[in-house]
Amino acid sequence: MELKATRYEVTEGVALVTLARPKRRNAWTGRMHTEYRWILREADCDRAVRVIVVTGDPEGQAFCAGADLQALEGHSQKGGYDPGTPQDIAEPGYGVDPAFDAAFAYHFGIGKPVIAAINGAAAGVGLVLAAFADLRFAAAGARFTAAHGRFNFPAEFGLSWVLPRIVGLTHANDILLSSRVFTAEEALAMGFLNRVLPPQDLIGEVMAYARNVARTVAPGSARESKRQIYRDLHRDAASSVRAAEALLEQMAREPDYREGVKAWMEKREPAWGG
């Protein structure tokens, strides 16, 4: 696919996905969503990729400023919502669990950690994208808003499901019922962010974190741990324990288990097979 609204590169086991519409503050469009899903499918299928990092083009001075205003105006003129995506859009993460087979929920089916490096404003769908990432690092001073209230929209794309599970009901209600702007520092205090960093350090710190995960965590462990986390949000404790026991028995027979033990004993980095 020709990438017009995004960029994609892979180095040292880390796929860097950049939302790249800087003249529009990296605002979301159907084209961007189409490219983004295609990239995620490519990264998920690429054995060389162990971790996925998503950020915004720094020239846009935003992570993702939400839906493009021209697209919002187009919805109004058409008298209805149009996602602007083709029928044959890629389906990364689909087929793992029916609970993940929907827009943005597909992140949970992707077998690799997804880290949001939030280098500026994250509004509307930009907040959604951050919320469905597995980890969130933000630049100090970055601003967030759900934004939907000012457009007579509902809470978008499962925010009403995911936010209470990240920050709790009290904070989620504040974010979703007010559509107010809140800062990275507030988001950290709420538990929405893993870390707030100086803007000039953000991408370097996130990439270093991602490379460390790529080096030290077995791909199978990352994949199954992630799926356990999101499946367990839908099931009871006993089912979680039984599933973990079955996975432990299965994964203990895999070559990467033997490699992990050997590397630990020999005090060296493991050479994962994946």
Side-chain angles (χ1 to χ4, degrees):
M1 172 176 284
E2 182 183 4
L3 301 180
K4 296 181 178 180
T6 57
R7 296 194 298 272
Y8 176 51
E9 57 185 292
V10 179
T11 57
E12 298 181 75
V14 180
L16 178 61
V17 185
T18 304
L19 309 179
R21 299 184 69 235
K23 293 182 180 179
R24 304 292 294 178
R25 302 191 72 219
N26 303 322
W28 195 259
T29 63
R31 174 76 195 195
M32 182 180 280
H33 195 179
T34 301
E35 292 183 15
Y36 180 72
R37 287 172 64 149
W38 181 86
I39 288 170
L40 288 187
R41 184 179 64 186
E42 293 295 300
D44 201 20
C45 294
D46 187 348
R47 291 171 61 90
V49 173
R50 303 287 172 81
V51 182
I52 301 166
V53 173
V54 182
T55 194
D57 187 320
E59 292 187 11
Q61 298 183 321
F63 172 68
C64 175
D68 190 279
L69 289 176
Q70 291 179 342
L72 290 175
E73 185 179 13
H75 300 329
S76 178
Q77 291 173 349
K78 292 175 183 176
Y81 177 76
D82 178 4
T85 53
Q87 290 293 322
D88 61 348
I89 191 169
E91 295 185 335
Y94 278 64
V96 173
D97 190 298
F100 308 156
D101 291 353
F104 296 98
Y106 54 69
H107 284 84
F108 299 158
I110 292 167
K112 296 161 186 184
V114 178
I115 305 173
I118 306 162
N119 56 338
V125 70
L127 179 63
V128 172
L129 188 60
F132 278 97
D134 303 305
L135 297 157
R136 288 164 290 278
F137 296 74
R143 292 157 70 84
F144 300 80
T145 178
H148 63 281
R150 68 195 66 166
F151 300 112
N152 192 43
F153 279 173
E156 297 178 273
F157 298 114
L159 272 180
S160 55
W161 182 91
V162 72
L163 274 180
R165 286 163 170 79
I166 299 172
V167 301
L169 185 61
T170 300
H171 291 309
N173 283 348
D174 174 25
I175 293 167
L176 296 176
L177 297 180
S178 72
S179 283
R180 72 176 180 89
V181 174
F182 58 101
T183 66
E185 290 71 23
E186 285 184 89
L188 180 66
M190 291 178 185
F192 184 69
L193 298 175
N194 296 90
R195 199 175 304 169
V196 172
L197 296 160
Q200 67 273 17
D201 297 339
L202 175 68
I203 196 65
E205 292 279 350
V206 171
M207 293 299 286
Y209 182 100
R211 286 192 295 268
N212 184 64
V213 172
R215 284 196 311 270
T216 62
V217 178
S221 179
R223 179 183 64 250
E224 297 304 333
S225 296
K226 176 172 174 174
R227 290 176 179 172
Q228 283 176 280
I229 289 165
Y230 297 114
R231 280 175 166 153
D232 285 353
L233 289 173
H234 298 81
R235 60 189 174 191
D236 59 79
S239 296
S240 173
V241 171
R242 287 192 288 269
E245 289 174 334
L247 282 168
L248 181 63
E249 182 178 345
Q250 170 192 322
M251 294 171 72
R253 296 194 294 267
E254 295 174 357
D256 272 351
Y257 168 69
R258 293 190 293 275
E259 170 60 15
V261 172
K262 189 175 180 181
W264 180 265
M265 298 295 291
E266 295 175 358
K267 296 181 172 57
R268 60 171 175 81
E269 287 195 354
W272 304 121

